[in-house]
């Protein structure tokens, strides 16, 4: 089996999506990239998770061309390709239609930072990219979805190495990370943060955003140079 | 065993309902039709899913008469019969009282199209048929339920081959498809779309409907002549 | 083992509560009565469901006196006793703090009849008894809880043989039926109806109550003299 | 194995958190103290529950110094240490980011006492400590979190032996008890009470707090000198 490592990593990460309750049927896909070869392994389109195997992952280059595999790659493959090509330090991408994150995307609102659960991962509101304009939609849609995400980060002056998740307006979330497993982890965190943010506004419509000192503290204890969360 | 194929297909599809969290106790039923014989197999009424078997499915004709089976067919059998008789290209029907779809039915509102999850299946709001008038209710109730659905589609100028789901006002959802398995799939999608639509309105009461270009794009990539979702 | 039948029936019904997601820890209890002996078997107080057995059920008479059993009976035993003594045709009672039914009880509102799921079981709103007055609370509290329920039915002119469920204001639901298994069934239905009613009001704050013709039809097809739901 | 009893107690209690649905990934930690030695065993930081064992628990003194263990203790260890040092009769502490309790913490509201489920555990609203001031956050953060909790109890005139749970504003809940198992029990109760309180306000925004007579009755029957809940 060629590309064994990324096939297995992509397979394992895809199988986590139903385990974590992030997908109904085939509403999600994960890829893992090998930057040395300029390739990634991604879920085949429309195949049930129970029928997946590492061998069925499709190998695609960063322009979205299939390099190896008899099955069609995920219909979102070009979005993955654009993100890998433009953002050089990520090696895993996840797309789901998880319930609460998708509801926020449909509402076209950024998710406010209300607490330390959020701050452990992001120092800012989780951005919601606006829906694309009609030209982009009618054109190379999934390709343009990637640029819509990248443009959103440019306009909001965000760094994809700091903020590893985004909502695409009217659509659904994408997350990424150093590998597919981390990107899946981020998808589950996003779903949990999205649910708690809605509940927070329901309990207190005037709930304030987290104060800056707490934002800094929680992020730094997990990610800063003197971080002390987890094992070194 | 006569009618083996439709008995087994109806049995397997019925057993999916509790697996997918769409039913409490016996609050749901699935049928699968054989058009060459003008018959369908349907769940017996009030029998627990754990006690079902292909043999216990009841064989009914398109006028609602039992052809084979010692058990009473589902109390909703006549609704199934009317839909099979009037809508010639469907071979599977599901009725459930799934939580979120039923709440929308009880609220007597169409489910607005807020995102691409919805658009992957329907280009329009999911219709809610109004409650029946008293004459229809007092008459042949389940039979009239079928006509209430058909009339709703006529009035809203919808095509049952495009829109495979409906809410019956104050009651609950019905879905259909090319076979029972697809109809069950549609029931699970409807429940998920119903839940996300409510959450979307809670997050943003002014959430806009999906723009037309996105509606067209998502539906066509899954169902259009140049569809590229799944494996051909 | 004495009282084998009611011990086993009460045991089996109690074990259904966690299976149906109706209890956290020991927040619930079920009893089954034997009218020929004027006794019922009820869960011992504060014992985890995993540690139950038919032998551990406590045998109590209709005045609330323990007849057989070394464990203390449920702290709600006197409520069961009053209901059995006053309402002569019930043989099973359930008390839970199930999430949505309890939230309605805490809100001190009857659950409006919004759809056919509700109407399949009740032709009226599910009643919420007001909180007791201070004298009753300070007195024989659990005994008075039973009378609070009975008085609520009298004031609302309800028949306990038709409406097999009630909310006790600020407290939680009680359900009953011809045996413990049916009372548990009613508890699960109540929880589902309670959840769907809240969701219905969230989707449409002006959602109308079910029209009378539908109320009559659904109830009669399941419970009337010409019922045609289930197997005869 | 040294400290066998507290290692095993802490391990068993930590393993209950995912079982009870109170944690995503590693978002929670439990400790069990041995007062005779002035030590407690606590979860190592960032280690998945499936990879835990009694041996991996870290032994820490009441000043937060690691006494035995090669892994880093939970990043919240100093909060545990402060609480053990200041509150002399507790031997178990739990911290989670459970969904509904955390949403209340993020909303910075006390959880109103709406019903008997709440009153079985507390006679007062569940307190929400305000977010810390910036000096405390920038200083010894987790240590100060402990004092924020203790100060909240002083200001509200609450007794930690009566009220075994708190929300830390913008952050998440802490619970405690006579041992780790009881503290975990309290975490699950808090999450359930938090969920039901939100639902209660959604059903009836004017829902009244529980009347004092019921508060007293329910608490006393479970905790008073004449308590009659459970087995003696």
């Amino acid at each position: 089996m060629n590309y064994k490592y990324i096939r297995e990593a992509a397979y394992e990460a895809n199988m986590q999506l139903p385990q974590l309750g992030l997908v109904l049927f085939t509403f999600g896909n994960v890829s893992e990239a090998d930057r040395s070869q300029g390739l990634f392994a991604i879920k085949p389109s429309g195949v049930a998770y129970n029928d997946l195997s590492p061998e069925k992952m499709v190998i695609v280059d960063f322009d979205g061309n299939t390099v190896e595999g008899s099955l069609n790659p995920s219909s979102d493959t070009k979005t993955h390709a654009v993100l890998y090509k433009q953002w050089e330090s990520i090696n895993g991408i996840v797309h789901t239609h998880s319930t609460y994150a998708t509801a926020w995307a449909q509402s076209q609102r950024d998710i406010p930072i209300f607490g330390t659960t959020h701050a452990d991962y992001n120092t800012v509101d989780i951005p919601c990219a606006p829906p694309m304009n009609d030209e982009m939609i009618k054109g190379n849609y999934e390709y343009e979805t990637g640029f819509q995400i990248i443009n959103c980060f440019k306009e909001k002056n965000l760094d994809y190495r700091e903020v590893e998740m985004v909502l695409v307006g009217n659509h659904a979330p994408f997350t990424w990370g150093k590998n597919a497993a981390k990107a899946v982890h981020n998808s589950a965190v996003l779903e949990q943060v999205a649910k708690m943010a809605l509940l927070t506004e329901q309990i207190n419509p005037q709930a304030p955003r987290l104060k800056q000192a707490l934002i800094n503290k929680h992020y730094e204890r997990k990610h800063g140079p003197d971080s002390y969360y987890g094992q070194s």
Side-chain angles (χ1 to χ4, degrees), chain A:
Chain A
M1 183 166 71
N2 296 322
Y3 316 110
K4 187 165 185 291
Y5 180 80
I6 56 174
R7 283 180 179 282
E8 290 182 347
Y11 167 73
E12 296 292 346
N14 271 290
M15 295 305 283
Q16 282 295 303
L17 295 186
Q19 290 273 339
L20 289 162
L22 298 172
V23 290
L24 174 68
F25 299 132
T26 59
F27 299 4
N29 46 73
V30 188
S31 65
E32 168 111 9
D34 177 346
R35 294 230 161 239
S36 70
Q37 302 192 80
L39 299 173
F40 61 98
I42 191 166
K43 182 179 177 294
S45 182
V47 176
Y49 290 96
N50 281 339
D51 297 332
L52 289 184
S53 64
E55 289 77 8
K56 287 184 182 164
M57 297 294 121
V58 185
I59 306 299
V60 180
D61 69 23
F62 289 177
D63 291 316
N65 304 305
T66 296
V67 170
E68 186 178 271
S70 55
L71 296 167
N72 294 335
S74 163
S75 58
D76 299 295
T77 293
K78 284 182 183 167
T79 310
H80 291 241
V82 168
L83 295 179
Y84 283 128
K85 191 156 187 176
Q86 300 288 322
W87 287 350
E88 296 186 0
S89 70
I90 65 173
N91 289 308
I93 297 173
V94 175
H95 174 54
T96 77
H97 288 221
S98 69
T99 308
Y100 286 85
T102 300
W104 279 91
Q106 292 189 160
S107 79
Q108 301 189 25
R109 288 183 57 199
D110 297 350
I111 302 177
I113 182 167
F114 281 131
T116 59
T117 321
H118 186 133
D120 281 339
Y121 288 84
N122 295 292
T123 61
V124 294
D125 294 351
I126 296 167
C128 182
M132 283 179 269
N133 66 44
D134 288 6
E135 290 311 301
M136 292 171 82
I137 293 166
K138 288 177 190 164
N140 198 338
Y141 175 59
E142 289 81 10
Y143 187 78
E144 298 288 3
T145 299
F147 282 106
Q148 189 75 356
I149 292 169
I150 289 164
N151 290 339
C152 169
F153 269 57
K154 280 183 187 157
E155 278 166 29
K156 289 175 185 274
N157 203 23
L158 300 174
D159 185 335
Y160 72 89
R161 290 164 299 193
E162 292 287 328
V163 179
E164 298 184 324
M165 50 190 71
V166 73
L167 309 174
V168 177
N170 278 145
H171 185 30
F174 284 83
T175 65
W176 50 88
K178 66 179 177 183
N179 55 32
K182 180 58 164 63
V184 169
H185 179 100
N186 289 339
S187 282
V189 169
L190 169 56
E191 179 66 5
Q192 177 69 359
V193 167
K195 181 172 185 177
M196 296 198 311
L198 169 55
L199 296 173
T200 299
E201 293 192 342
Q202 290 180 328
I203 295 168
N204 182 0
Q206 274 76 47
R209 290 175 80 255
L210 192 61
K211 59 196 296 185
Q212 196 59 40
L214 266 172
I215 291 174
N216 296 345
K217 184 68 185 186
H218 265 262
Y219 192 78
E220 283 166 12
R221 79 173 196 166
K222 217 162 178 179
H223 303 282
D226 302 318
S227 70
Y228 51 98
Y229 183 89
Q231 310 300 328
S232 57

